[in-house]
Amino acid sequence: MRESPARCGRLGRSVNQSLSTGIVPVDWRLANIFPLHKKGPRDLAEKPISLKSVCSKIFEHIVYSGISKHLENNHILAPHQHGFRPGFSCETQLVLAIDDWARTLDRGHETDIAIFDFSKAFDSVPHHRLITKLDYYGIRGNTHQWITFISFRQKSVCPN
């Protein structure tokens, strides 16, 4: 279903206004949390999902793209950082790790490996610390203010 040009124009104006002022509309900061049932008894929801407005998702992607470009252009990310980068993935990280281990073993050295699962790491990051880091790396002004607004999203839990 295509959006009407008038509706797209209003969205564009809203996005531009939000970015230029650093103020996030209230409805973009709302998230409805729904329990998701996968298996087992129906009264046991295993994984909550968060539903946000389409406008919020679009704009978050725009801000994410801008921040990613800033980090890449200013060589802020370490070369071994593979998560959330274009052209990098868990698979590319694994290929490099296996190559390093093989080279070490080929040279006759021993290799010890410690594996950590950081899949939910972002869920436990103190948001104020993340906001401080963004400022340190040059993410300032209205973009910084916008991220501060969005990081304190209002959540409501909705029943099944």
Side-chain angles (χ1 to χ4, degrees):
M1 182 161 112
R2 289 181 44 103
E3 295 286 335
S4 71
R7 184 173 170 90
C8 290
R10 284 192 304 272
L11 174 60
R13 285 190 296 279
S14 296
V15 166
N16 288 335
Q17 182 179 6
S18 180
L19 188 55
S20 67
T21 62
I23 297 172
V24 180
V26 174
D27 58 333
W28 292 10
R29 289 184 266 155
L30 301 175
N32 292 321
I33 311 294
F34 289 90
L36 179 65
H37 178 265
K38 284 186 153 184
K39 59 184 174 183
R42 298 260 336 135
D43 60 338
L44 295 177
E46 295 177 358
K47 181 179 180 182
I49 58 170
S50 175
L51 299 178
K52 302 178 281 187
S53 77
V54 172
C55 294
S56 178
K57 288 181 181 184
I58 291 169
F59 198 62
E60 286 176 30
H61 183 74
I62 292 168
V63 170
Y64 164 78
S65 296
I67 290 172
S68 293
K69 286 178 188 169
H70 172 81
L71 297 175
E72 289 290 335
N73 293 341
N74 292 289
H75 308 288
I76 294 171
L77 299 176
H80 299 304
Q81 168 67 40
H82 283 247
F84 306 102
R85 292 178 73 183
F88 293 84
S89 65
C90 292
E91 290 81 7
T92 59
Q93 179 69 60
L94 185 58
V95 166
L96 290 178
I98 290 171
D99 184 59
D100 285 346
W101 301 334
R103 289 174 195 265
T104 301
L105 292 172
D106 286 346
R107 287 189 219 118
H109 300 287
E110 291 183 17
T111 300
D112 295 323
I113 302 167
I115 298 175
F116 300 96
D117 180 5
F118 292 112
S119 62
K120 297 291 182 186
F122 184 76
D123 296 342
S124 63
V125 171
H127 285 199
H128 66 280
R129 189 175 298 164
L130 178 61
I131 299 296
T132 301
K133 285 276 192 182
L134 290 172
D135 182 64
Y136 176 80
Y137 289 115
I139 310 296
R140 299 188 181 102
N142 291 338
T143 303
H144 188 269
Q145 185 175 345
W146 195 90
I147 293 168
T148 302
F149 266 118
I150 210 73
S151 68
F152 297 104
R153 188 178 306 278
Q154 296 173 338
K155 300 170 190 88
S156 63
V157 178
C158 302
N160 268 350

